[in-house]
Amino acid sequence: MRFLKIKLEGIVQGVGFRPFVYRIAQDHRISGSVSNNTSGVEIYATGEEMALENFLSDLVNEKPPQALIEDIRVTEITPFESFGFAIVSSKNDGDRLVLISPDLATCDECKREIFDPSDRRYRYPFTNCTNCGPRFTIIRDTPYDRPNTSMSVFKMCVDCKSEYNDPSSRRFHAQPNACPECGPKLRLEDNRGNNVSGEPLRESARVLRDGKVVAIKGLGGFHLACSAVDDVVVESLRERKKRYGKPFAVMVSDLNEARKYCEIDEVSEEIMTSPRCPIVLLPEREDSVLSKQVAPNLRDQGLFLPYTPVHHLLMREAGIPLVMTSGNVSSEPICTDNNEAKKRLNEIADFFLLHNRDILVRYDDSVTRAFRGEEYPVRRARGYAPYPLRVSPPSEVQLLAYGPELKNTFCLLRGDQAFLSQHIGDMDSEAELSHFEEALNSIARLFSLEPQIAACDMHPDYLTTSMARKSGLPCVEVQHHHAHIASCMADNRITGEVIGVAWDGTGYGPDGTIWGGEFMKADFTEFERLAHLRAYPMPGGDRAVYEVYRMVAGVLFSVLDSNDAEEEMERLFSLREEEREAIFYQLRNDINCPRTSGAGRMFDVAAAMSGVRKTAVYDGQAACEFEALASNVYEDYHFEINRSSLPWVIDTGPVFLEMLDDVHKRVSPDEISGKFHRTMALIIVETVKGLASMTGINRVALSGGVFQNIFLTEIVVSELEEADLECFLHRRVPANDGGVSLGQAMVASRAEREYRDLV
Ligand code: ZN
Ligand code: ZN
Ligand code: FE
């Protein structure tokens, strides 16, 4: 007989781990006990040598589908007395290292039950089990036990209680376990607060088919739903929500329906049907009947499958694809509370499908796509965050990186675990500030994190920068594009030097210009700017992000004689004369014309010149629509790399001049777009090749929002690989600013080390 103590860490709570241990203990005649504690699962086991070995092997190899063992420690201990095997109650001690699984989409068995008329959970919208259901959105504290969740107010009925206590049940210790008898309930109200009689889901489906907008309380917040095949209602939802150009996501009942609208490859299918159930960007089919208002002028649609029983039941009743967009007014955080939603969404929704289980933490839907056979994330939230990412090298201090301003996430770093927050949003309003703080408090509490160092962007005007400075912690400022590259390195778990290509819209440059077309030699400690795109004046500063024609004026003014530039502006856009004159007055006298080398802006300019659009309602709209047009061509425009001194400057002047010629020759926008994309890709490839032979570094990290453009990225990666350079793309965090906080944390942890070595 041997006596063992087995400690497991990872996702081992809330996924049916203890009943599983109980079952395999029975199988192998092992005595002892299993319990949850704040760091994971603890097992005491005794039995014959052979039996123990089989038990241990089953423990690792037969684990429940959603479990993830990150660490297993087996120690021989002094004999203890035991009769049979028992599940003992949770202990609250030690470091809180336990990893709770993210919220999981409804499993197949639960799905079967809700559609089975003979089941006691038939049509019950809050059905869940240890393999699926809410987690982070209902948890208040660890350990993950019912009293620490928003299910605590629902007292389990006799039937639920017996499942909960039955180790052979799929619902053994399923903390959110519930049924129609004892669990949360749905109700439907109109926007004047009147209850709508009838079965709430059937009635919701009926009004949705009638072209109404319904606010639906979901897992991490409210959705606004409407028919995705009805132009009128989709357009009116845009008006009411004040979300004009940005694409909406569409929920479809299953994969077969999804295939009617989009091309779905194997990897996308795998991602869509995973328990994370994110929105997946997919190329739309020619014959798709989805409203053109859903994703105006874009090639891809964001589709996702139902991930809660409410969704499954509703989709089946409605029988049409539904727009499901976050329940907020444009740019505000998503609503979570019934009364808050009724107040804030009153003007938007015609009906409210509500329930009485509280959402404790706000989560948006995640957005992702497949690219070159792997996941390529766009927005990380539900189903992903804040499950920690393993990084190397580990940090010796606990750190909080505040992230940038737009598409903000923050990152808490402890050892080799990086807790990247869910997508927070654009940190430019008080509302987002409270969302940030709420998420920070919840993650810090759940994982007992106490940061000793803060990290932030170098930009002096970012709200996140001033928050970091006011935090009372020593604060490390990290250059935006260095953070992008460090993020890509951490994402790929590589260390040492790389050639980093950071292409995005905007980032604070230490030389007083706006950066964003960057080539650097970088590691986690430092970076050297080796090359960048030519900088152009940006008349009116940030206004040019939306009034794209301003940026065009900045480029034309730099590549043409100023009178010719003005004439050209006249030809391209019919601006009011006073406005055109004002812009050129600004340019000639250099008034409020910061210089930008942001690559995103160059795509905007090309889009506007070729007639795609002269103004944008969201950052990068012109560039996104321009990408959607691009056709495969083998021609490109001329560019020059000035290598006379470091950093090299890549002159895109000739690119725009040749492009203007094409515009005047009425070459089709598809072809112009194709040529421009190919040109920008070749700029990256030629520059990187040059820098690789100069530095002897052959690893390339690609980061920044521009690499969300997969038409461009595809050309870049295949050409770099052709040249025998090793390419690293983001795989676990977004290439856009949603991944920047991870890079900030990695750089700051090294800066801190250097600092302490000196002391
Ligand atoms: Zn289930
Ligand atoms: Zn019950
Ligand atoms: Fe950026």
Side-chain angles (χ1 to χ4, degrees):
M1 293 283 267
R2 290 172 69 199
F3 295 85
L4 301 179
K5 179 174 169 181
I6 305 156
K7 291 182 87 168
L8 294 142
E9 286 179 18
I11 299 186
V12 289
Q13 291 187 12
V15 288
F17 208 88
R18 287 174 303 168
F20 152 71
V21 174
Y22 178 89
R23 273 196 304 276
I24 59 170
Q26 303 289 331
D27 290 352
H28 300 292
R29 295 167 190 271
I30 300 295
S31 319
S33 66
V34 57
S35 66
N36 277 347
N37 60 21
T38 42
S39 35
V41 163
E42 201 171 75
I43 302 167
Y44 289 89
T46 178
E48 296 302 330
E49 179 77 34
M50 221 22 226
L52 273 173
E53 239 163 68
N54 293 334
F55 173 74
L56 282 174
S57 123
D58 279 5
L59 193 60
V60 176
N61 299 320
E62 307 292 324
K63 64 179 170 49
Q66 304 313 333
L68 197 141
I69 298 171
E70 293 210 322
D71 195 27
I72 174 163
R73 254 166 293 168
V74 183
T75 43
E76 203 94 31
I77 53 168
T78 50
F80 55 86
E81 211 174 292
S82 77
F83 307 95
F85 198 86
I87 296 173
V88 298
S89 61
S90 302
K91 282 188 231 156
N92 191 337
D93 58 12
D95 283 342
R96 299 186 182 192
L97 289 170
V98 64
L99 301 175
I100 303 143
S101 89
D103 299 43
L104 303 168
T106 310
C107 73
D108 289 340
E109 282 164 289
C110 286
K111 221 184 296 173
R112 216 169 298 133
E113 289 172 353
I114 60 173
F115 288 116
D116 174 2
S118 68
D119 194 277
R120 74 187 191 94
R121 287 191 175 80
Y122 178 54
R123 295 185 59 82
Y124 181 57
F126 300 93
T127 302
N128 65 79
C129 72
T130 44
N131 297 324
C132 74
R135 299 288 187 272
F136 269 111
T137 50
I138 59 163
I139 191 165
R140 201 171 277 131
D141 206 349
T142 52
Y144 173 60
D145 275 337
R146 186 138 168 148
N148 285 331
T149 72
S150 65
M151 284 301 290
S152 62
V153 296
F154 300 97
K155 198 174 171 316
M156 269 187 264
C157 68
V158 179
D159 288 345
C160 286
K161 193 86 205 171
S162 76
E163 291 166 339
Y164 185 88
N165 287 324
D166 174 5
S168 70
S169 163
R170 202 169 92 246
R171 298 203 163 87
F172 178 75
H173 282 225
Q175 305 306 342
N177 189 24
C179 78
E181 274 305 303
C182 64
K185 287 179 176 46
L186 282 179
R187 71 173 191 278
L188 183 67
E189 283 183 12
D190 66 19
N191 60 4
R192 291 184 305 279
N194 303 315
N195 253 312
V196 175
S197 61
E199 211 273 320
L201 282 167
R202 286 209 178 94
E203 291 305 308
S204 302
R206 184 178 59 79
V207 298
L208 283 165
R209 279 195 308 267
D210 276 356
K212 297 287 191 282
V213 174
V214 181
I216 300 173
K217 190 175 187 179
L219 264 189
F222 274 79
H223 275 136
L224 287 161
C226 73
S227 164
V229 289
D230 177 346
D231 289 346
V232 178
V233 66
V234 179
E235 216 163 323
S236 116
L237 178 57
R238 287 200 176 281
E239 286 292 323
R240 299 193 224 175
K241 198 174 139 80
K242 301 193 179 67
R243 176 172 167 131
Y244 296 106
K246 272 192 188 174
F248 286 141
V250 173
M251 187 176 276
V252 292
S253 54
D254 53 32
L255 263 182
N256 285 338
E257 193 191 356
R259 287 189 212 285
K260 291 191 206 157
Y261 314 127
C262 290
E263 307 290 348
I264 304 175
D265 61 16
E266 223 171 285
V267 184
S268 300
E269 176 178 327
E270 210 173 284
I271 299 171
M272 278 187 94
T273 53
S274 77
R276 296 172 156 189
C277 204
I279 295 165
V280 182
L281 301 180
L282 301 158
E284 189 172 10
R285 289 169 57 116
E286 291 277 342
D287 57 354
S288 154
V289 296
L290 296 179
S291 163
K292 293 288 165 250
Q293 300 302 318
V294 171
N297 306 320
L298 298 178
R299 186 176 288 173
D300 295 338
Q301 287 284 359
L303 299 189
F304 61 150
L305 298 178
Y307 58 86
T308 69
V310 172
H311 298 142
H312 281 289
L313 293 163
L314 183 69
M315 293 309 296
R316 185 163 295 192
E317 285 291 338
I320 47 171
L322 295 176
V323 164
M324 286 268 186
T325 179
S326 51
N328 57 2
V329 183
S330 180
S331 85
E332 286 179 10
I334 186 168
C335 292
T336 53
D337 175 76
N338 287 354
N339 291 325
E340 176 201 356
K342 285 201 271 183
K343 211 161 70 198
R344 277 172 51 198
L345 304 180
N346 192 269
E347 304 284 304
I348 304 179
D350 302 302
F351 293 90
F352 289 83
L353 182 58
L354 305 168
H355 63 69
N356 55 346
R357 183 179 70 204
D358 287 342
I359 297 170
L360 297 182
V361 188
R362 239 172 265 271
Y363 270 84
D364 288 273
D365 292 314
S366 296
V367 184
T368 190
R369 76 181 329 140
F371 179 61
R372 295 177 73 92
E374 278 175 75
E375 188 162 357
Y376 195 52
V378 177
R379 178 170 86 190
R380 265 178 111 255
R382 176 186 51 77
Y384 293 77
Y387 183 74
L389 302 153
R390 293 282 163 168
V391 294
S392 108
S395 175
E396 286 167 24
V397 285
Q398 285 195 33
L399 247 144
L400 166 59
Y402 280 77
E405 180 167 75
L406 302 177
K407 298 191 168 70
N408 181 273
T409 61
F410 58 83
C411 179
L412 284 150
L413 182 61
R414 174 180 60 199
D416 65 348
Q417 296 180 317
F419 298 85
L420 191 67
S421 77
Q422 66 270 42
H423 166 82
I424 305 288
D426 296 348
M427 287 291 290
D428 49 8
S429 73
E430 285 300 310
E432 296 296 349
L433 186 77
S434 62
H435 184 187
F436 184 105
E437 280 169 352
E438 173 190 295
L440 178 58
N441 289 335
S442 100
I443 295 175
R445 190 177 59 245
L446 288 180
F447 302 100
S448 291
L449 295 159
E450 278 171 53
Q452 298 140 285
I453 308 279
C456 64
D457 203 282
M458 272 183 181
H459 201 302
D461 302 332
Y462 282 178
L463 186 56
T464 46
T465 305
S466 66
M467 286 165 73
R469 286 178 182 163
K470 281 189 234 151
S471 66
L473 303 173
C475 184
V476 182
E477 293 178 5
V478 183
Q479 200 278 325
H480 185 85
H481 303 97
H482 185 203
H484 266 303
I485 299 308
S487 169
C488 185
M489 291 172 62
D491 191 330
N492 289 282
R493 295 193 187 88
I494 56 170
T495 55
E497 286 185 325
V498 298
I499 293 172
V501 185
W503 275 25
D504 64 2
T506 304
Y508 181 83
D511 64 354
T513 68
I514 301 166
W515 289 15
E518 306 307 312
F519 297 81
M520 55 176 66
K521 181 172 85 177
D523 57 22
F524 286 130
T525 315
E526 55 186 4
F527 75 95
E528 187 187 353
R529 193 185 200 200
L530 294 181
H532 60 86
L533 292 177
R534 174 178 176 180
Y536 294 102
M538 195 177 179
D542 277 346
R543 271 180 78 180
V545 174
Y546 300 97
E547 293 167 13
V548 180
Y549 56 86
R550 287 175 171 275
M551 197 63 233
V552 177
V555 169
L556 291 175
F557 179 80
S558 313
V559 299
L560 294 169
D561 160 78
S562 88
N563 290 327
D564 292 349
E566 214 173 327
E567 235 169 76
E568 193 61 59
M569 275 300 279
E570 173 65 37
R571 232 186 303 177
L572 289 171
F573 315 104
S574 41
L575 298 181
R576 280 180 302 114
E577 199 179 323
E578 311 88 84
E579 186 175 17
R580 198 183 68 239
E581 278 171 4
I583 293 172
F584 278 86
Y585 181 81
Q586 276 185 313
L587 284 165
R588 288 187 186 105
N589 297 286
D590 199 6
I591 300 163
N592 192 16
C593 287
R595 298 293 186 276
T596 179
S597 52
R601 298 284 86 82
M602 303 305 117
F603 282 84
D604 280 352
V605 166
M609 278 185 176
S610 57
V612 169
R613 59 170 54 250
K614 66 175 185 186
T615 59
V617 290
Y618 61 90
D619 185 358
Q621 182 183 21
C624 288
E625 294 181 3
F626 194 50
E627 180 196 352
L629 287 178
S631 57
N632 280 306
V633 294
Y634 295 95
E635 284 167 274
D636 47 76
Y637 298 117
H638 178 64
F639 61 88
E640 270 157 32
I641 304 176
N642 182 343
R643 307 177 193 225
S644 56
S645 62
L646 279 178
W648 299 349
V649 178
I650 301 132
D651 188 3
T652 50
V655 176
F656 290 115
L657 287 174
E658 286 186 14
M659 212 184 95
L660 265 184
D661 262 357
D662 273 357
V663 172
H664 294 317
K665 279 190 271 176
R666 300 187 185 281
V667 174
S668 78
D670 313 25
E671 198 181 324
I672 295 181
S673 174
K675 279 169 87 172
F676 183 79
H677 276 85
R678 187 165 171 78
T679 307
M680 295 307 266
L682 293 181
I683 285 177
I684 293 176
V685 174
E686 285 311 305
T687 310
V688 167
K689 278 193 204 163
L691 294 175
S693 64
M694 183 181 85
T695 59
I697 302 169
N698 65 353
R699 298 187 306 171
V700 190
L702 306 176
S703 188
V706 168
F707 291 106
Q708 222 82 77
N709 179 330
I710 55 165
F711 190 90
L712 173 87
T713 309
E714 176 62 52
I715 307 175
V716 172
V717 176
S718 52
E719 295 276 336
L720 286 176
E721 284 178 352
E722 189 95 334
D724 275 334
L725 293 160
E726 200 180 352
C727 242
F728 295 92
L729 289 172
H730 280 278
R731 289 304 182 187
R732 298 186 288 167
V733 305
N736 61 41
D737 281 9
V740 162
S741 61
L742 173 64
Q744 289 176 347
M746 294 304 288
V747 172
S749 89
R750 306 303 291 171
E752 162 62 8
R753 175 194 294 246
E754 303 270 295
Y755 170 77
R756 276 178 310 150
D757 287 351
L758 291 175
V759 179

